[in-house]
């Protein structure tokens, strides 16, 4: 939390605790701003205090809240009323930065009654001071680094010192600097260090370490002194060329040995790399010591005594020098001389049997083994039957075509490459070379050889139809050398593939030439294993074709390139879905009468179609009769039997038959299923249009059954459908019973079935029962009828007791019973209500 916010919180707390006893003070502005003031200078901040009453207060400064650089200008005791009084404060910063002070307003008793803030921004002056002695490294051996010395820079100013760079000015490579060389910040009173070591080149390496900062108008330079010491041997000639000399002659040449360093080299010795090439030096001319900047002349002699003398040798001078440590130095000069000596590497080039077009090459060398350059010439004479053009040759010197009009340098040789290239023929080939050198006998080289040829047989491959989803088959094409009698080898130098028709990339083959070339002996063959992986289905006359081109050599009058044709035809499966199947309108809950309709799919491709799983949604309305996996051969169909059993009247919930298969374009085939449920057109009971309908059987005595014939009618109003009256159930059979309850009784189109109901009450009252009709295997009620009836108490009435007269009394009871009997026996039709 900032001091300003802390002050505001204190002000609220203090004001809240004393508001009841003091007047309300306010400062405008609430923060008196002194502005930007340089360190060592002063600035003034003012604010006006107002009060809602006239009261004398004392202003005081609380230094614990950052007020050491602020002071209140007199007067410090003011009488403040509503018109207000101005308060002035002086800001005298000691260090740079943003400064805030809280001024508390206190009453005469010292109690706080208000507060305000004073703020100022101080701008100081950074100052850089080097507090260490400039480094003096003295003498340092070249190639080493001296012990480090430290340079320390201190900020003796009043604001942050920014060092933007610190680096060696002239030759940074002569010094190793440890410490930050880029931008860095140093607080007032802080310091920063650099540890520096000298790693000089030879000679004076004095330099300046420059610090660029905002603490000084100019960069701060620190002088550094250092001297690099070294002793160095050098020669004026890196090569001493004595030229060509005859045997037992000699030549002496000088080489100047010098010390180019600034420290003396002592213990100087000289040595030859080889003591057997005819070179020597005069040891008396080799100095034992050379001061810095001095030299001496050493005499070197070449005196060949054998033809192998001369060539390249190395004379090395070595010594040591000492400054801080001890070191060695050396320098070499190459000695060159030549001795005359000419030879050929072989007297015969025997090509033997070779294939006429193989163009074999054999070589021999003409070597100048001596020390002098020799002017050599070469000629060739062909044998009878051989044309000179059949044995062309090239002469090379050091990898380049040689110019025989120039001398062959000593120690060098000509490479003579001879090519046997008969003009499309077989038989002997030969001739002789002669190497000429003035003053010497010719050196002969004889050439012999016999040209042969080969014959070729090519075999291709036909893959036929190939399932694009099956494992790619492989077949082997063949290149055979059938030249058993001609003894000619056959060379296959390349087999390349180029698709000519169909889909690119469906044919691949294993490279039969892992090393780039192969030679077939007579009677042998080169198998080429080809894989065919078709990616698209092709028609019976639309095949993929690839042509392999084999580059062959070795057959007389034969092609230089032959083609191998491979064909194949990709086949695939193609699941063709039917139009959504049409299911007949079906009675609700048809049970065993539910229609089963085939859903026919076609495999329009040639490859077998694997339907691995079948699923149907919408059970139990939609049911799959047989969902076993099936393979549909190409060009055939398969029926999936689907049962439709709606459980409600109206549009059935849409089902879906899903087929999981290996047709990659449609691996999840979905066939929608739609159907309509309908009600059975069967009437039950009288047709009054009131639901539920009510049949009133009438009135009977308690315990006296009353049967109503043909009271319940079941009428099939459908002109074409036969239904089954599965059952008629009564929800209360205590007073009503069906005379002959039906059980799965057939109801033909347009037919009517009637049923009698007996009303047999066991007590007095009005009775009702509901008769419910169920058809076929539908568990839902087709229709309902309410049966009603009234029961009265049947009672006999007579006159008096025993004395009343037997005849008349008996006669009256008989009449009453007879009347009730008539009621019990009668059959009637109930009245529909």
């Amino acid at each position: 939390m900032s001091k300003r916010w802390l002050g505001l919180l204190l002000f609220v707390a203090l004001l809240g605790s004393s508001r009841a006893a003091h007047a309300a003070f306010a400062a405008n502005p609430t923060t008196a701003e002194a502005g930007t003031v340089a360190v060592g200078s002063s600035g003034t901040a003012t604010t006006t205090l107002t009060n809602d009453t006239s009261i004398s207060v004392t202003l005081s400064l609380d230094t614990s809240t950052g007020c050491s650089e602020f002071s209140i200008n007199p007067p410090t005791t003011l009488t403040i009323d509503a018109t207000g009084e101005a308060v002035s404060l002086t800001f005298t910063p000691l260090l740079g930065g943003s400064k805030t002070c809280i001024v508390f307003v206190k009453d005469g008793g010292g109690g706080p009654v208000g507060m305000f803030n004073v703020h100022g921004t101080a701008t100081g002056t950074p100052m850089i001071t080097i507090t260490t002695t400039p480094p003096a490294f003295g003498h340092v051996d070249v190639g080493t680094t001296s012990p480090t010395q430290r340079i320390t820079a201190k900020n003796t100013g009043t604001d942050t010192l920014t060092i933007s760079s610190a680096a060696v000015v002239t030759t940074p490579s002569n010094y190793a600097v440890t410490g930050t060389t880029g931008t860095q910040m140093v607080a007032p009173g802080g310091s920063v260090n650099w540890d520096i070591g000298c790693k000089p080149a030879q000679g004076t390496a004095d330099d300046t370490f420059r610090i660029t900062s905002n603490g000084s108008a100019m960069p701060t330079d620190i002088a550094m002194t250092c001297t690099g010491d070294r002793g160095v041997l050098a020669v004026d000639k890196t090569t001493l060329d004595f030229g060509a000399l005859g045997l037992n002659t000699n030549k002496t040449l000088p080489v100047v040995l010098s010390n180019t360093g600034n420290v003396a080299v002592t213990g100087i010795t000289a040595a030859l790399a080889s003591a057997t090439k005819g070179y020597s030096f005069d040891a008396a001319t080799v100095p034992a010591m050379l001061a810095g900047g001095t030299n001496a002349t050493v005499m070197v002699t070449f005196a060949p005594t054998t033809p192998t003398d001369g060539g390249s040798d190395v004379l090395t001078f070595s010594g040591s020098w000492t400054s801080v440590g001890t070191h060695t130095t050396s320098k070499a000069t190459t000695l060159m001389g030549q001795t005359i000596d000419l030879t050929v590497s072989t007297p015969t080039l025997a090509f033997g049997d070779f294939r006429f077009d193989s163009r074999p090459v054999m070589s021999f060398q003409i070597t100048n083994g001596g020390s002098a350059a020799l002017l050599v010439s070469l000629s060739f004479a062909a044998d009878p039957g051989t044309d000179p053009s059949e044995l062309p040759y090239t002469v090379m010197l050091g990898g380049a075509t040689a110019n025989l009009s120039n001398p062959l340098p000593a120690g060098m040789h000509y490479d003579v490459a001879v090519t046997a290239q008969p003009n499309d023929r077989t038989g002997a080939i030969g001739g002789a070379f002669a190497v000429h050198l003035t003053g010497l006998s010719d050196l002969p080289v004889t050439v012999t050889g016999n040209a042969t040829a080969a014959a070729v047989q090519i075999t291709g491959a036909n893959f036929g139809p190939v399932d694009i989803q099956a494992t790619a088959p492989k077949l082997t094409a063949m290149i055979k050398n059938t030249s058993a009698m001609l003894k000619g080898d056959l060379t296959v130098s390349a087999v390349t593939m180029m698709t000519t028709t169909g889909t690119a990339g469906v044919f691949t083959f294993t490279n039969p030439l892992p090393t780039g070339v192969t030679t077939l002996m007579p009677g042998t063959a080169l198998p080429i294993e080809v894989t065919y992986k078709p990616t698209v289905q092709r028609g019976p006359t639309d095949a993929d074709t690839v042509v392999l081109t084999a580059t062959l050599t070795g057959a007389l009058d034969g092609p230089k390139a032959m083609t191998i044709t491979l064909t194949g035809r990709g086949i695939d499966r193609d699941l063709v879905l039917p139009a959504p199947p049409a299911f007949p309108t079906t009675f609700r809950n048809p049970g065993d009468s539910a229609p089963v309709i085939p859903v026919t799919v076609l495999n329009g491709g040639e490859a077998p179609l694997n339907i691995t799983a079948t699923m149907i949604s919408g059970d139990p309305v939609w049911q799959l009769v047989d969902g076993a996996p099936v393979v549909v051969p190409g060009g055939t169909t398969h029926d999936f039997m689907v049962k439709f059993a709606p459980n409600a009247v109206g549009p059935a919930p849409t089902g879906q038959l899903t087929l999981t298969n290996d047709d990659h374009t449609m691996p999840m085939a979905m066939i929608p299923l739609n159907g309509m449920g309908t009600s059975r057109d069967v009437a039950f009971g009288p047709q009054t249009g009131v639901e539920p309908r009510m049949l009133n059987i009438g009135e009977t005595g308690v315990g006296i059954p009353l049967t109503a014939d043909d009271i319940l009618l079941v009428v099939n109003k459908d002109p074409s459908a036969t239904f089954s009256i599965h059952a008629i159930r009564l929800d209360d059979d205590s007073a009503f019973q069906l005379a002959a309850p039906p059980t799965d009784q057939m109801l033909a189109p347009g037919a009517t079935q009637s049923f009698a109901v007996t009303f047999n009450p066991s007590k007095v009252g009005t009775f009702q029962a509901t008769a419910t009709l169920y058809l076929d295997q539908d568990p839902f009620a087709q229709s309902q009828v309410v049966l009603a009836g009234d029961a009265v108490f049947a009672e006999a009435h007579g006159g008096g007791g025993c004395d009343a007269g037997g005849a008349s009394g008996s006669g009256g009871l008989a009449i009453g019973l007879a009347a009730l009997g008539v009621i019990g026996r009668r059959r009637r039709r109930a009245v529909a209500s």
Side-chain angles (χ1 to χ4, degrees):
M1 178 181 295
S2 68
K3 292 179 179 180
R4 180 177 181 180
W5 284 109
L6 178 61
L8 291 175
L9 290 175
L10 290 172
F11 172 71
V12 172
L14 294 172
L15 186 61
S17 63
S18 60
R19 186 171 180 85
H22 301 284
F25 287 89
N28 185 22
T30 57
T31 297
E33 182 60 57
T36 300
V37 179
V39 172
S41 300
S42 297
T44 302
T46 60
T47 187
T48 300
L49 298 180
T50 59
N51 179 17
D52 58 359
T53 62
S54 179
I55 183 170
S56 177
V57 297
T58 300
L59 304 181
S60 62
L61 186 64
D62 188 348
T63 59
S64 63
T65 58
C67 296
S68 61
E69 296 169 293
F70 295 87
S71 61
I72 300 177
N73 298 324
T76 59
T77 301
L78 302 174
T79 299
I80 302 173
D81 56 20
T83 60
E85 289 291 336
V87 178
S88 172
L89 297 97
T90 299
F91 173 43
T92 307
L94 302 176
L95 293 174
S98 177
K99 312 296 179 73
T100 300
C101 171
I102 301 175
V103 178
F104 290 96
V105 180
K106 298 182 179 180
D107 60 15
V113 295
M115 55 80 66
F116 61 90
N117 292 333
V118 184
H119 176 266
T121 301
T123 57
T125 301
M127 182 176 296
I128 184 170
T129 302
I130 303 302
T131 63
T132 53
T133 302
F137 296 97
H139 287 265
V140 180
D141 291 349
V142 174
T144 66
T145 301
S146 71
T148 61
Q149 298 188 40
R150 174 165 290 185
I151 293 177
T152 300
K154 184 176 182 180
N155 183 2
T156 56
T158 57
D159 205 350
T160 299
L161 173 68
T162 300
I163 297 176
S164 57
S165 66
V168 176
V169 175
T170 305
T171 311
S173 61
N174 282 341
Y175 291 88
V177 179
T178 301
T180 302
T181 58
T183 301
Q184 56 183 317
M185 314 297 286
V186 183
S191 62
V192 63
N193 301 318
W194 295 271
D195 292 323
I196 302 177
C198 182
K199 50 172 187 175
Q202 179 180 314
T204 300
D206 296 348
D207 216 318
T208 299
F209 187 72
R210 175 168 292 171
I211 303 170
T212 303
S213 71
N214 64 346
S216 174
M218 300 293 291
T220 303
D221 289 343
I222 300 96
M224 301 184 295
T225 59
C226 182
T227 300
D229 288 344
R230 181 172 63 171
V232 183
L233 290 178
V235 294
D236 65 333
K237 300 181 184 70
T238 57
T239 301
L240 281 181
D241 191 350
F242 293 89
L245 297 180
L247 292 175
N248 302 313
T249 63
N250 65 79
K251 186 177 183 179
T252 299
L253 295 175
V255 61
V256 177
L257 177 68
S258 61
N259 177 5
T260 59
N262 59 350
V263 177
V265 177
T266 61
I268 299 174
T269 61
L272 287 168
S274 173
T276 61
K277 293 187 176 183
Y279 299 103
S280 63
F281 61 90
D282 185 355
T285 61
V286 178
M289 184 272 290
L290 283 175
T294 65
N295 61 71
T297 299
V298 178
M299 304 308 294
V300 184
T301 299
F302 174 48
T305 58
T306 68
T308 58
D309 284 348
S312 176
D313 202 353
V314 177
L315 175 60
T316 302
F317 300 96
S318 301
S320 63
W321 58 276
T322 301
S323 177
V324 178
T326 300
H327 310 273
T328 60
T329 178
S330 63
K331 188 62 178 181
T333 184
T334 301
L335 309 180
M336 299 297 297
Q338 301 164 344
T339 302
I340 298 173
D341 182 35
L342 184 67
T343 59
V344 291
S345 60
T346 179
T348 303
L349 295 181
F351 284 95
D353 289 336
F354 64 92
R355 199 179 63 210
F356 80 100
D357 62 344
S358 61
R359 304 294 190 266
V361 177
M362 298 189 73
S363 300
F364 66 93
Q365 290 180 339
I366 303 171
T367 303
N368 181 0
S371 304
L374 304 176
L375 189 60
V376 179
S377 63
L378 183 66
S379 63
F380 174 72
D383 290 343
T386 299
D387 189 280
S389 65
E390 295 182 308
L391 286 170
Y393 64 92
T394 59
V395 182
M396 306 293 291
L397 175 62
T401 301
N403 185 352
L404 296 182
S405 63
N406 295 327
L408 174 62
M412 300 294 288
H413 63 268
Y414 289 132
D415 289 308
V416 182
V418 183
T419 303
Q421 54 179 37
N423 298 324
D424 289 332
R425 69 177 180 86
T426 59
I429 187 172
F433 287 93
V435 180
H436 308 282
L437 179 63
T438 302
L440 294 178
S441 299
D442 288 347
L443 301 177
V445 178
T446 301
V447 181
T448 62
N450 182 53
T452 64
V456 183
Q457 178 182 345
I458 300 293
T459 305
N462 186 353
F463 287 88
V466 176
D467 188 344
I468 66 174
Q469 296 190 37
T471 301
K474 295 180 180 179
L475 290 178
T476 302
M478 195 77 67
I479 302 174
K480 186 175 182 180
N481 182 356
T482 59
S483 58
M485 299 301 293
L486 296 176
K487 300 192 303 181
D489 296 336
L490 178 67
T491 298
V492 184
S493 58
V495 177
T496 57
M497 175 181 287
M498 179 179 67
T499 298
T500 56
T501 60
T503 306
V506 295
F507 292 95
T508 57
F509 73 103
T510 303
N511 183 9
L513 307 174
T515 61
V517 65
T518 189
T519 298
L520 300 180
M521 302 297 290
T524 62
L526 175 67
I528 304 173
E529 189 177 72
V530 182
T531 301
Y532 176 47
K533 181 59 178 176
T535 58
V536 296
Q537 183 170 254
R538 294 286 181 184
T541 61
D542 183 20
D544 293 318
T545 302
V546 70
V547 175
L548 301 183
T549 300
T551 302
L552 309 176
T553 52
L556 281 175
D557 301 321
K560 300 300 181 183
M562 299 191 72
T563 58
I564 306 169
T565 302
L566 303 102
T567 61
R569 186 168 62 83
I571 62 173
D572 197 4
R573 67 274 305 128
D574 183 11
L575 177 59
V576 180
L577 299 179
F583 287 86
T585 300
T586 303
F587 295 118
R588 181 188 64 192
N589 295 318
D592 296 338
S593 299
V596 178
I597 301 299
V599 178
T600 302
V601 296
L602 167 66
N603 179 5
E606 294 183 61
L609 173 67
N610 293 286
I611 299 179
T612 56
T614 55
M615 297 167 287
I616 197 166
S617 62
D619 184 66
V621 173
W622 304 100
Q623 300 176 30
L624 186 61
V625 175
D626 181 8
V630 65
V631 176
V632 184
T636 65
T637 62
H638 181 78
D639 292 337
F640 291 96
M641 306 306 293
V642 177
K643 179 188 287 187
F644 176 45
N647 53 17
V649 174
T654 298
Q656 180 173 279
L657 176 61
T658 302
L659 307 177
T660 303
N661 63 92
D662 59 352
D663 181 350
H664 54 86
T665 62
M666 191 165 45
M668 294 289 289
M670 291 164 285
I671 304 170
L673 305 173
N674 292 284
M676 180 72 71
T678 187
S679 62
R680 297 166 179 83
D681 192 4
V682 175
F684 183 44
Q687 304 305 304
T688 64
V690 179
E691 296 291 343
R693 292 173 289 278
M694 180 175 289
L695 296 178
N696 194 335
I697 295 178
E699 181 181 286
T700 188
V702 174
I704 301 175
L706 175 60
T707 297
D709 293 329
D710 303 328
I711 189 172
L712 286 178
L713 299 180
V714 180
V715 180
N716 185 354
K717 302 171 69 176
D718 193 311
S720 59
T722 298
F723 303 108
S724 169
I725 304 175
H726 178 65
I728 300 176
R729 296 191 179 99
L730 299 177
D731 63 344
D732 184 1
D733 59 358
S734 61
F736 298 93
Q737 297 87 31
L738 288 178
T743 301
D744 295 326
Q745 183 175 339
M746 301 308 295
L747 186 64
T752 299
Q753 293 288 339
S754 60
F755 299 93
V757 177
T758 298
F759 176 41
N760 187 14
S762 60
K763 59 182 179 180
V764 174
T766 297
F767 292 85
Q768 285 187 354
T770 300
T772 302
L773 173 65
Y774 295 90
L775 299 178
D776 298 333
Q777 293 171 299
D778 188 356
F780 299 146
Q782 172 70 18
S783 185
Q784 289 183 326
V785 175
V786 177
L787 304 176
D790 294 310
V792 298
F793 182 68
E795 183 178 347
H797 297 277
C802 296
D803 296 335
S808 61
S810 298
L813 177 59
I815 294 171
L817 291 174
L820 289 176
V822 171
I823 294 174
R825 288 193 303 272
R826 71 177 173 173
R827 293 184 180 271
R828 55 169 291 183
R829 293 191 179 273
V831 178
S833 60

